[in-house]
mmCIF file of all heavy atoms in Angstrom:
data_model
loop_
_atom_site.group_PDB
_atom_site.id
_atom_site.type_symbol
_atom_site.label_atom_id
_atom_site.label_comp_id
_atom_site.label_asym_id
_atom_site.label_seq_id
_atom_site.Cartn_x
_atom_site.Cartn_y
_atom_site.Cartn_z
ATOM 1 N N TYR B 114 -2.134 3.045 13.578
ATOM 2 C CA TYR B 114 -0.620 2.968 13.419
ATOM 3 C C TYR B 114 -0.031 2.413 14.706
ATOM 4 O O TYR B 114 0.800 1.546 14.711
ATOM 5 C CB TYR B 114 -0.043 4.318 13.148
ATOM 6 C CG TYR B 114 1.366 4.327 12.986
ATOM 7 C CD1 TYR B 114 1.972 3.906 11.755
ATOM 8 C CD2 TYR B 114 2.228 4.751 14.053
ATOM 9 C CE1 TYR B 114 3.335 3.845 11.637
ATOM 10 C CE2 TYR B 114 3.607 4.676 13.897
ATOM 11 C CZ TYR B 114 4.166 4.289 12.655
ATOM 12 O OH TYR B 114 5.546 4.177 12.551
ATOM 13 N N VAL B 115 -0.454 2.992 15.909
ATOM 14 C CA VAL B 115 0.059 2.530 17.168
ATOM 15 C C VAL B 115 -0.188 0.974 17.368
ATOM 16 O O VAL B 115 0.716 0.258 17.749
ATOM 17 C CB VAL B 115 -0.407 3.329 18.320
ATOM 18 C CG1 VAL B 115 -0.055 2.786 19.698
ATOM 19 C CG2 VAL B 115 -0.061 4.840 18.169
ATOM 20 N N TYR B 116 -1.436 0.601 17.018
ATOM 21 C CA TYR B 116 -1.720 -0.779 17.316
ATOM 22 C C TYR B 116 -0.805 -1.760 16.398
ATOM 23 O O TYR B 116 -0.307 -2.704 16.881
ATOM 24 C CB TYR B 116 -3.257 -1.052 16.941
ATOM 25 C CG TYR B 116 -3.615 -2.357 16.629
ATOM 26 C CD1 TYR B 116 -3.581 -3.441 17.504
ATOM 27 C CD2 TYR B 116 -3.932 -2.834 15.222
ATOM 28 C CE1 TYR B 116 -3.978 -4.691 17.146
ATOM 29 C CE2 TYR B 116 -4.168 -4.048 14.902
ATOM 30 C CZ TYR B 116 -4.161 -5.004 15.836
ATOM 31 O OH TYR B 116 -4.520 -6.274 15.533
ATOM 32 N N GLU B 117 -0.704 -1.358 15.107
ATOM 33 C CA GLU B 117 0.033 -2.107 14.191
ATOM 34 C C GLU B 117 1.578 -2.106 14.589
ATOM 35 O O GLU B 117 2.258 -3.083 14.452
ATOM 36 C CB GLU B 117 0.047 -1.550 12.834
ATOM 37 C CG GLU B 117 -1.410 -1.757 12.162
ATOM 38 C CD GLU B 117 -1.799 -3.131 11.827
ATOM 39 O OE1 GLU B 117 -0.901 -4.072 12.024
ATOM 40 O OE2 GLU B 117 -2.891 -3.391 11.480
ATOM 41 N N GLN B 118 2.005 -0.934 15.121
ATOM 42 C CA GLN B 118 3.406 -0.796 15.641
ATOM 43 C C GLN B 118 3.614 -1.785 16.775
ATOM 44 O O GLN B 118 4.685 -2.412 16.809
ATOM 45 C CB GLN B 118 3.603 0.640 16.153
ATOM 46 C CG GLN B 118 5.000 1.000 16.388
ATOM 47 C CD GLN B 118 5.769 1.044 15.105
ATOM 48 O OE1 GLN B 118 5.371 1.464 14.111
ATOM 49 N NE2 GLN B 118 7.046 0.545 15.155
ATOM 50 N N ILE B 119 2.709 -1.981 17.666
ATOM 51 C CA ILE B 119 2.892 -2.830 18.792
ATOM 52 C C ILE B 119 2.841 -4.320 18.317
ATOM 53 O O ILE B 119 3.702 -5.152 18.792
ATOM 54 C CB ILE B 119 1.783 -2.626 19.871
ATOM 55 C CG1 ILE B 119 1.913 -1.262 20.426
ATOM 56 C CG2 ILE B 119 1.893 -3.688 20.973
ATOM 57 C CD1 ILE B 119 0.786 -0.790 21.331
ATOM 58 N N PHE B 120 1.882 -4.673 17.425
ATOM 59 C CA PHE B 120 1.714 -6.084 17.115
ATOM 60 C C PHE B 120 2.511 -6.526 15.873
ATOM 61 O O PHE B 120 2.820 -7.688 15.719
ATOM 62 C CB PHE B 120 0.209 -6.450 17.064
ATOM 63 C CG PHE B 120 -0.453 -6.407 18.377
ATOM 64 C CD1 PHE B 120 -1.177 -5.274 18.757
ATOM 65 C CD2 PHE B 120 -0.243 -7.453 19.232
ATOM 66 C CE1 PHE B 120 -1.711 -5.125 20.002
ATOM 67 C CE2 PHE B 120 -0.847 -7.355 20.482
ATOM 68 C CZ PHE B 120 -1.615 -6.245 20.862
ATOM 69 N N ASN B 121 2.646 -5.646 14.882
ATOM 70 C CA ASN B 121 3.236 -6.112 13.680
ATOM 71 C C ASN B 121 4.450 -5.348 13.324
ATOM 72 O O ASN B 121 5.038 -5.553 12.169
ATOM 73 C CB ASN B 121 2.304 -5.888 12.477
ATOM 74 C CG ASN B 121 1.040 -6.908 12.625
ATOM 75 O OD1 ASN B 121 1.246 -8.088 12.875
ATOM 76 N ND2 ASN B 121 -0.072 -6.450 12.518
ATOM 77 N N SER B 122 4.941 -4.372 14.112
ATOM 78 C CA SER B 122 6.083 -3.634 13.859
ATOM 79 C C SER B 122 6.221 -2.962 12.453
ATOM 80 O O SER B 122 6.897 -3.474 11.595
ATOM 81 C CB SER B 122 7.407 -4.307 14.211
ATOM 82 O OG SER B 122 7.668 -5.287 13.279
ATOM 83 N N MET B 123 5.406 -1.865 12.308
ATOM 84 C CA MET B 123 5.538 -1.117 11.022
ATOM 85 C C MET B 123 6.613 -0.115 11.147
ATOM 86 O O MET B 123 6.943 0.387 12.144
ATOM 87 C CB MET B 123 4.221 -0.486 10.727
ATOM 88 C CG MET B 123 3.089 -1.396 10.193
ATOM 89 S SD MET B 123 1.754 -0.432 9.830
ATOM 90 C CE MET B 123 0.762 -1.564 8.918
ATOM 91 N N ASP B 124 7.131 0.406 9.992
ATOM 92 C CA ASP B 124 8.097 1.468 10.101
ATOM 93 C C ASP B 124 7.653 2.566 9.073
ATOM 94 O O ASP B 124 6.672 2.441 8.391
ATOM 95 C CB ASP B 124 9.471 0.932 9.753
ATOM 96 C CG ASP B 124 9.580 0.229 8.466
ATOM 97 O OD1 ASP B 124 8.402 -0.096 7.968
ATOM 98 O OD2 ASP B 124 10.645 0.079 7.828
ATOM 99 N N GLY B 125 8.398 3.664 9.142
ATOM 100 C CA GLY B 125 8.133 4.742 8.135
ATOM 101 C C GLY B 125 6.942 5.540 8.450
ATOM 102 O O GLY B 125 6.055 5.585 7.580
ATOM 103 N N LEU B 126 6.892 6.189 9.566
ATOM 104 C CA LEU B 126 5.668 7.009 9.954
ATOM 105 C C LEU B 126 5.434 8.109 8.961
ATOM 106 O O LEU B 126 4.341 8.385 8.509
ATOM 107 C CB LEU B 126 5.828 7.546 11.365
ATOM 108 C CG LEU B 126 4.729 8.457 11.819
ATOM 109 C CD1 LEU B 126 3.474 7.629 12.076
ATOM 110 C CD2 LEU B 126 5.154 9.016 13.180
ATOM 111 N N PHE B 127 6.599 8.864 8.559
ATOM 112 C CA PHE B 127 6.447 9.998 7.693
ATOM 113 C C PHE B 127 5.904 9.527 6.300
ATOM 114 O O PHE B 127 5.038 10.267 5.709
ATOM 115 C CB PHE B 127 7.899 10.720 7.623
ATOM 116 C CG PHE B 127 7.812 11.889 6.689
ATOM 117 C CD1 PHE B 127 7.241 12.999 7.083
ATOM 118 C CD2 PHE B 127 8.373 11.822 5.438
ATOM 119 C CE1 PHE B 127 7.127 14.226 6.319
ATOM 120 C CE2 PHE B 127 8.371 12.966 4.619
ATOM 121 C CZ PHE B 127 7.716 14.158 5.140
ATOM 122 N N VAL B 128 6.445 8.429 5.839
ATOM 123 C CA VAL B 128 6.013 7.967 4.491
ATOM 124 C C VAL B 128 4.458 7.699 4.520
ATOM 125 O O VAL B 128 3.666 8.011 3.589
ATOM 126 C CB VAL B 128 6.720 6.725 4.112
ATOM 127 C CG1 VAL B 128 6.238 6.140 2.798
ATOM 128 C CG2 VAL B 128 8.167 6.970 4.108
ATOM 129 N N LYS B 129 4.069 7.094 5.637
ATOM 130 C CA LYS B 129 2.628 6.789 5.709
ATOM 131 C C LYS B 129 1.727 8.035 5.857
ATOM 132 O O LYS B 129 0.660 8.162 5.402
ATOM 133 C CB LYS B 129 2.377 5.877 6.850
ATOM 134 C CG LYS B 129 2.944 4.466 6.563
ATOM 135 C CD LYS B 129 2.831 3.514 7.725
ATOM 136 C CE LYS B 129 3.417 2.193 7.392
ATOM 137 N NZ LYS B 129 4.864 2.204 7.102
ATOM 138 N N PHE B 130 2.347 8.977 6.580
ATOM 139 C CA PHE B 130 1.646 10.255 6.751
ATOM 140 C C PHE B 130 1.391 10.891 5.430
ATOM 141 O O PHE B 130 0.161 11.323 5.130
ATOM 142 C CB PHE B 130 2.562 11.253 7.567
ATOM 143 C CG PHE B 130 1.797 11.979 8.639
ATOM 144 C CD1 PHE B 130 1.776 11.564 9.921
ATOM 145 C CD2 PHE B 130 1.193 13.160 8.303
ATOM 146 C CE1 PHE B 130 1.055 12.190 10.818
ATOM 147 C CE2 PHE B 130 0.512 13.901 9.235
ATOM 148 C CZ PHE B 130 0.387 13.394 10.556
ATOM 149 N N ILE B 131 2.333 11.011 4.559
ATOM 150 C CA ILE B 131 2.167 11.573 3.236
ATOM 151 C C ILE B 131 1.355 10.642 2.312
ATOM 152 O O ILE B 131 0.449 11.117 1.629
ATOM 153 C CB ILE B 131 3.504 11.895 2.597
ATOM 154 C CG1 ILE B 131 4.274 12.721 3.502
ATOM 155 C CG2 ILE B 131 3.323 12.531 1.197
ATOM 156 C CD1 ILE B 131 3.828 14.151 3.811
ATOM 157 N N GLY B 132 1.622 9.344 2.423
ATOM 158 C CA GLY B 132 0.998 8.453 1.507
ATOM 159 C C GLY B 132 -0.427 8.118 1.792
ATOM 160 O O GLY B 132 -1.274 7.949 0.886
ATOM 161 N N THR B 133 -0.753 8.012 3.096
ATOM 162 C CA THR B 133 -2.134 7.626 3.379
ATOM 163 C C THR B 133 -2.978 8.483 4.385
ATOM 164 O O THR B 133 -4.034 8.795 4.101
ATOM 165 C CB THR B 133 -2.001 6.107 4.051
ATOM 166 O OG1 THR B 133 -1.260 5.365 3.154
ATOM 167 C CG2 THR B 133 -3.421 5.598 4.183
ATOM 168 N N TYR B 134 -2.271 8.861 5.552
ATOM 169 C CA TYR B 134 -3.029 9.651 6.513
ATOM 170 C C TYR B 134 -3.684 10.937 6.001
ATOM 171 O O TYR B 134 -4.955 10.995 6.144
ATOM 172 C CB TYR B 134 -2.002 10.135 7.666
ATOM 173 C CG TYR B 134 -1.574 9.146 8.678
ATOM 174 C CD1 TYR B 134 -1.412 7.843 8.225
ATOM 175 C CD2 TYR B 134 -1.208 9.622 9.881
ATOM 176 C CE1 TYR B 134 -0.917 6.967 9.199
ATOM 177 C CE2 TYR B 134 -0.641 8.674 10.824
ATOM 178 C CZ TYR B 134 -0.510 7.301 10.444
ATOM 179 O OH TYR B 134 -0.004 6.525 11.285
ATOM 180 N N ILE B 135 -2.902 11.777 5.345
ATOM 181 C CA ILE B 135 -3.475 12.961 4.858
ATOM 182 C C ILE B 135 -4.495 12.862 3.754
ATOM 183 O O ILE B 135 -5.594 13.336 3.850
ATOM 184 C CB ILE B 135 -2.372 13.912 4.446
ATOM 185 C CG1 ILE B 135 -1.322 14.162 5.619
ATOM 186 C CG2 ILE B 135 -2.812 15.322 3.975
ATOM 187 C CD1 ILE B 135 -1.862 14.920 6.785
ATOM 188 N N PRO B 136 -4.125 11.952 2.657
ATOM 189 C CA PRO B 136 -5.149 11.863 1.647
ATOM 190 C C PRO B 136 -6.431 11.140 2.127
ATOM 191 O O PRO B 136 -7.557 11.573 1.766
ATOM 192 C CB PRO B 136 -4.459 10.843 0.689
ATOM 193 C CG PRO B 136 -2.994 10.968 0.905
ATOM 194 C CD PRO B 136 -2.895 11.379 2.339
ATOM 195 N N GLU B 137 -6.308 10.248 3.085
ATOM 196 C CA GLU B 137 -7.491 9.596 3.630
ATOM 197 C C GLU B 137 -8.329 10.641 4.361
ATOM 198 O O GLU B 137 -9.553 10.666 4.240
ATOM 199 C CB GLU B 137 -7.131 8.486 4.507
ATOM 200 C CG GLU B 137 -8.260 7.669 4.980
ATOM 201 C CD GLU B 137 -7.985 6.548 5.944
ATOM 202 O OE1 GLU B 137 -6.849 6.088 5.909
ATOM 203 O OE2 GLU B 137 -8.862 6.141 6.585
ATOM 204 N N MET B 138 -7.663 11.482 5.076
ATOM 205 C CA MET B 138 -8.340 12.523 5.942
ATOM 206 C C MET B 138 -9.175 13.442 5.004
ATOM 207 O O MET B 138 -10.357 13.662 5.210
ATOM 208 C CB MET B 138 -7.392 13.288 6.764
ATOM 209 C CG MET B 138 -7.995 14.193 7.690
ATOM 210 S SD MET B 138 -6.624 15.067 8.591
ATOM 211 C CE MET B 138 -6.482 16.511 7.539
ATOM 212 N N ILE B 139 -8.474 13.899 3.902
ATOM 213 C CA ILE B 139 -9.139 14.791 2.975
ATOM 214 C C ILE B 139 -10.390 14.107 2.237
ATOM 215 O O ILE B 139 -11.485 14.680 2.224
ATOM 216 C CB ILE B 139 -8.098 15.337 2.043
ATOM 217 C CG1 ILE B 139 -7.029 16.159 2.660
ATOM 218 C CG2 ILE B 139 -8.851 16.302 0.906
ATOM 219 C CD1 ILE B 139 -5.843 16.502 1.873
ATOM 220 N N TYR B 140 -10.058 12.944 1.827
ATOM 221 C CA TYR B 140 -11.100 12.209 1.086
ATOM 222 C C TYR B 140 -12.306 11.921 1.922
ATOM 223 O O TYR B 140 -13.470 12.070 1.489
ATOM 224 C CB TYR B 140 -10.464 10.939 0.441
ATOM 225 C CG TYR B 140 -11.238 10.342 -0.721
ATOM 226 C CD1 TYR B 140 -12.164 11.081 -1.433
ATOM 227 C CD2 TYR B 140 -10.897 9.026 -1.073
ATOM 228 C CE1 TYR B 140 -12.761 10.509 -2.518
ATOM 229 C CE2 TYR B 140 -11.546 8.413 -2.142
ATOM 230 C CZ TYR B 140 -12.532 9.202 -2.870
ATOM 231 O OH TYR B 140 -13.218 8.619 -3.841
ATOM 232 N N THR B 141 -12.007 11.453 3.129
ATOM 233 C CA THR B 141 -13.190 11.191 4.152
ATOM 234 C C THR B 141 -13.954 12.465 4.371
ATOM 235 O O THR B 141 -15.171 12.397 4.389
ATOM 236 C CB THR B 141 -12.614 10.637 5.322
ATOM 237 O OG1 THR B 141 -11.711 9.498 5.079
ATOM 238 C CG2 THR B 141 -13.794 10.082 6.266
ATOM 239 N N ALA B 142 -13.221 13.610 4.567
ATOM 240 C CA ALA B 142 -13.951 14.844 4.796
ATOM 241 C C ALA B 142 -14.796 15.173 3.619
ATOM 242 O O ALA B 142 -15.963 15.658 3.793
ATOM 243 C CB ALA B 142 -12.925 15.908 5.066
ATOM 244 N N ILE B 143 -14.272 15.015 2.419
ATOM 245 C CA ILE B 143 -15.122 15.290 1.222
ATOM 246 C C ILE B 143 -16.381 14.453 1.172
ATOM 247 O O ILE B 143 -17.466 14.931 0.904
ATOM 248 C CB ILE B 143 -14.254 15.126 -0.088
ATOM 249 C CG1 ILE B 143 -13.232 16.276 -0.130
ATOM 250 C CG2 ILE B 143 -15.214 15.268 -1.357
ATOM 251 C CD1 ILE B 143 -12.143 15.989 -1.184
ATOM 252 N N PHE B 144 -16.121 13.176 1.504
ATOM 253 C CA PHE B 144 -17.318 12.273 1.508
ATOM 254 C C PHE B 144 -18.383 12.591 2.571
ATOM 255 O O PHE B 144 -19.509 12.442 2.508
ATOM 256 C CB PHE B 144 -16.831 10.737 1.685
ATOM 257 C CG PHE B 144 -17.078 10.051 0.378
ATOM 258 C CD1 PHE B 144 -16.083 10.113 -0.634
ATOM 259 C CD2 PHE B 144 -18.203 9.342 0.299
ATOM 260 C CE1 PHE B 144 -16.290 9.439 -1.722
ATOM 261 C CE2 PHE B 144 -18.434 8.643 -0.904
ATOM 262 C CZ PHE B 144 -17.493 8.653 -1.917
ATOM 263 N N GLY B 145 -17.711 13.228 3.731
ATOM 264 C CA GLY B 145 -18.585 13.695 4.775
ATOM 265 C C GLY B 145 -19.567 14.707 4.291
ATOM 266 O O GLY B 145 -20.807 14.755 4.612
ATOM 267 N N ILE B 146 -19.049 15.677 3.435
ATOM 268 C CA ILE B 146 -19.874 16.697 2.937
ATOM 269 C C ILE B 146 -21.011 16.069 2.125
ATOM 270 O O ILE B 146 -22.215 16.433 2.211
ATOM 271 C CB ILE B 146 -19.137 17.707 2.013
ATOM 272 C CG1 ILE B 146 -17.930 18.375 2.878
ATOM 273 C CG2 ILE B 146 -19.965 18.797 1.421
ATOM 274 C CD1 ILE B 146 -17.031 19.224 2.050
ATOM 275 N N ILE B 147 -20.638 15.018 1.217
ATOM 276 C CA ILE B 147 -21.681 14.415 0.456
ATOM 277 C C ILE B 147 -22.637 13.680 1.258
ATOM 278 O O ILE B 147 -23.904 13.853 1.038
ATOM 279 C CB ILE B 147 -21.014 13.410 -0.565
ATOM 280 C CG1 ILE B 147 -20.033 14.110 -1.421
ATOM 281 C CG2 ILE B 147 -22.049 12.610 -1.339
ATOM 282 C CD1 ILE B 147 -19.078 13.180 -2.213
ATOM 283 N N VAL B 148 -22.236 13.046 2.306
ATOM 284 C CA VAL B 148 -23.252 12.282 3.178
ATOM 285 C C VAL B 148 -24.097 13.332 3.923
ATOM 286 O O VAL B 148 -25.387 13.066 3.909
ATOM 287 C CB VAL B 148 -22.501 11.434 4.195
ATOM 288 C CG1 VAL B 148 -23.471 10.886 5.252
ATOM 289 C CG2 VAL B 148 -21.769 10.359 3.579
ATOM 290 N N LEU B 149 -23.591 14.512 4.260
ATOM 291 C CA LEU B 149 -24.441 15.516 4.847
ATOM 292 C C LEU B 149 -25.476 16.083 3.989
ATOM 293 O O LEU B 149 -26.576 16.371 4.356
ATOM 294 C CB LEU B 149 -23.473 16.642 5.375
ATOM 295 C CG LEU B 149 -22.878 16.514 6.779
ATOM 296 C CD1 LEU B 149 -21.797 17.483 7.098
ATOM 297 C CD2 LEU B 149 -23.991 16.653 7.895
ATOM 298 N N LYS B 150 -25.058 16.353 2.757
ATOM 299 C CA LYS B 150 -25.880 16.827 1.738
ATOM 300 C C LYS B 150 -27.067 15.834 1.586
ATOM 301 O O LYS B 150 -28.229 16.210 1.434
ATOM 302 C CB LYS B 150 -25.241 17.091 0.424
ATOM 303 C CG LYS B 150 -24.239 18.238 0.375
ATOM 304 C CD LYS B 150 -25.021 19.621 0.215
ATOM 305 C CE LYS B 150 -24.057 20.765 0.499
ATOM 306 N NZ LYS B 150 -24.403 21.662 1.555
ATOM 307 N N ILE B 151 -26.722 14.535 1.428
ATOM 308 C CA ILE B 151 -27.780 13.538 1.212
ATOM 309 C C ILE B 151 -28.714 13.499 2.391
ATOM 310 O O ILE B 151 -29.939 13.426 2.241
ATOM 311 C CB ILE B 151 -27.197 12.093 1.050
ATOM 312 C CG1 ILE B 151 -26.249 12.035 -0.283
ATOM 313 C CG2 ILE B 151 -28.159 11.010 1.037
ATOM 314 C CD1 ILE B 151 -25.415 10.878 -0.440
ATOM 315 N N LYS B 152 -28.115 13.625 3.553
ATOM 316 C CA LYS B 152 -28.948 13.653 4.829
ATOM 317 C C LYS B 152 -29.865 14.870 4.795
ATOM 318 O O LYS B 152 -31.120 14.795 5.266
ATOM 319 C CB LYS B 152 -28.007 13.727 6.027
ATOM 320 C CG LYS B 152 -28.763 13.634 7.369
ATOM 321 C CD LYS B 152 -28.225 14.639 8.352
ATOM 322 C CE LYS B 152 -29.315 15.105 9.139
ATOM 323 N NZ LYS B 152 -29.192 16.589 9.513
#
Side-chain angles (χ1 to χ4, degrees):
Chain B
Y114 179 81
V115 171
Y116 158 72
E117 294 291 353
Q118 190 66 40
I119 295 168
F120 291 99
N121 294 313
S122 71
M123 282 185 169
D124 54 342
L126 178 66
F127 181 71
V128 176
K129 289 177 184 61
F130 221 93
I131 305 294
T133 308
Y134 285 26
I135 304 290
E137 186 182 339
M138 186 180 92
I139 296 167
Y140 199 18
T141 309
I143 292 169
F144 250 84
I146 301 173
I147 297 169
V148 173
L149 272 169
K150 290 279 174 238
I151 293 171
K152 185 227 143 213

